[in-house]
Amino acid sequence: MRSFSPADHPVPLVHQLLLSGVAPRPIALVSSIDADGRHNLSPFSYYNAFGANPPVIVVSPAFRASNGVPKHTFLNIIETGEFTVNAVSFSMVEQISLASSDYERGIDEFDKAGFTKRDSSLVRPPGVAESPFIMECRLLQHVSTGGRPGAGNLLIAEVMMFHVKESAFENDAIHPRRLDLVARMGGNWYCRANGEALFELAKPRQNGIGMDQLPSHIRTSTVFTGNDLAKLAGISSLPDVASIRGEWQRDLLRLGAGSKEPDDLDTELRMLSPRAALLAVFRNIVNRTTRTDSICAQLQRISRAFLAEGDLDSAWACALMSDPAMIDSLKAT
């Protein structure tokens, strides 16, 4: 890996390292007004949520890295203590890019970017009517991170009111596909939280055994990935090796007596048929023509295929039986 000490590199490089590695980042399209009531609208990706009781968010309009000039949004919020945060959907990306232009203070980016103002309930700055998710916020605290060019200003705020478009709901819960939000990456890159980029991952329902309790031949495998091992380590107790071995011995005896010849392992895995692939490995064990280490690797590949299907029991069976000592004992059956 390359290592970078912030003290030894210019601020623009440190800035790009942060933005590239701390990603994707949600985008806060912040609406604010100054003391004279002039509107401002600007996107920020130094932003996130921190707590729900009370609901608190933090936006950080950093000082300009080149000359230390503060952002208009920062000045407005310090003056008035109020703002709205508007989530950015994919349909808004070109407009928010336009709103990020360096207009003079007092120029209304709502007009420049073509957004519609939506009256707020409890604060003076309006929301963005095109946004599917709006928060009305009041400033709780400003935390300076140094005041130098490129330094952040943590604007800690309480959310006073949420507004969510009806179209964002599915069965009374906000659905990410309906929000269709975008997030910021490094450089000119963004990402879209929709399509194949979305996936569900259930929270653990129990304390898993942990990776440290995995049998060594599984834990040190070069076939399993970290994600694979974490799935295996999520069970509450190790399966019974003896019962699995007994079942496999019976299957091997039946196979030795004659059964349908499977295709080769790679073909079956390519066809997403891990059970047929396992039959191919059984045939290799019966024929005693394949090296033990090769069979171990084959079983671990099949285990991964079962994991991809969500069949944790079968995945564990293949993983446990991929122990070289276990394979040798089955060959001797």
Side-chain angles (χ1 to χ4, degrees), residues 8-288:
D8 298 333
H9 293 86
V11 172
L13 174 60
V14 176
H15 180 70
Q16 282 305 311
L17 287 170
L18 276 173
L19 298 190
S20 297
V22 184
R25 301 180 308 284
I27 301 171
L29 183 58
V30 178
S31 166
S32 62
I33 60 174
D34 63 17
D36 296 325
R38 297 180 298 179
H39 294 85
N40 178 269
L41 185 66
S42 187
F44 297 92
S45 65
Y46 286 151
Y47 151 68
N48 220 309
F50 299 88
N53 187 23
V56 169
I57 59 108
V58 175
V59 179
S60 181
F63 291 122
R64 193 184 303 277
S66 59
N67 55 19
V69 171
K71 300 291 181 67
H72 302 154
T73 298
F74 169 70
L75 297 174
N76 290 353
I77 294 174
I78 293 299
E79 286 181 3
T80 67
E82 298 181 335
F83 60 101
T84 70
V85 168
N86 307 269
V88 177
S89 63
F90 184 73
S91 63
M92 301 163 62
V93 291
E94 294 291 349
Q95 288 173 276
I96 66 128
S97 180
L98 184 56
S100 70
S101 300
D102 192 18
Y103 294 113
E104 294 291 331
R105 193 177 186 194
I107 298 295
D108 191 339
E109 287 87 358
F110 273 95
D111 295 334
K112 291 294 186 183
F115 283 119
T116 307
K117 292 171 183 170
R118 181 188 187 280
D119 290 340
S120 296
S121 302
L122 302 175
V123 300
R124 285 170 291 171
V128 176
E130 288 79 4
S131 173
F133 183 90
I134 303 170
M135 295 180 288
E136 298 184 22
C137 307
R138 286 203 177 120
L139 182 66
L140 294 174
Q141 184 180 358
H142 165 221
V143 177
S144 171
T145 64
R148 298 181 297 274
N153 292 286
L154 308 185
L155 301 180
I156 305 171
E158 180 176 353
V159 179
M160 310 304 297
M161 185 71 71
F162 295 92
H163 304 283
V164 187
K165 282 190 175 179
E166 191 64 38
S167 60
F169 289 96
E170 188 166 298
N171 299 325
D172 294 326
I174 297 175
H175 197 288
R177 295 189 193 279
R178 290 182 172 274
L179 285 179
D180 197 17
L181 299 183
V182 294
R184 199 71 171 86
M185 307 294 285
N188 292 326
W189 291 95
Y190 292 74
C191 67
R192 183 179 185 180
N194 214 324
E196 294 184 0
L198 285 177
F199 62 93
E200 287 188 277
L201 181 62
K203 291 183 178 180
R205 292 176 293 182
Q206 60 195 8
N207 287 339
I209 61 172
M211 290 196 189
D212 58 326
Q213 297 301 309
L214 293 175
S216 61
H217 74 280
I218 297 175
R219 189 174 63 251
T220 61
S221 165
T222 59
V223 175
F224 290 119
T225 67
N227 280 338
D228 297 330
L229 295 177
K231 289 180 183 178
L232 292 171
I235 61 173
S236 58
S237 61
L238 286 170
D240 182 18
V241 180
S243 63
I244 295 173
R245 185 179 184 280
E247 181 180 340
W248 280 34
Q249 282 180 316
R250 290 190 293 273
D251 289 341
L252 288 169
L253 289 173
R254 285 196 294 269
L255 186 63
S259 64
K260 177 186 175 183
E261 189 74 19
D263 283 330
D264 66 278
L265 176 102
D266 289 330
T267 299
E268 298 295 359
L269 288 179
R270 190 166 58 248
M271 295 302 295
L272 305 180
S273 303
R275 295 194 181 282
L278 184 57
L279 186 60
V281 174
F282 281 178
R283 177 63 69 187
N284 291 338
I285 295 174
V286 169
N287 293 339
R288 298 180 176 86

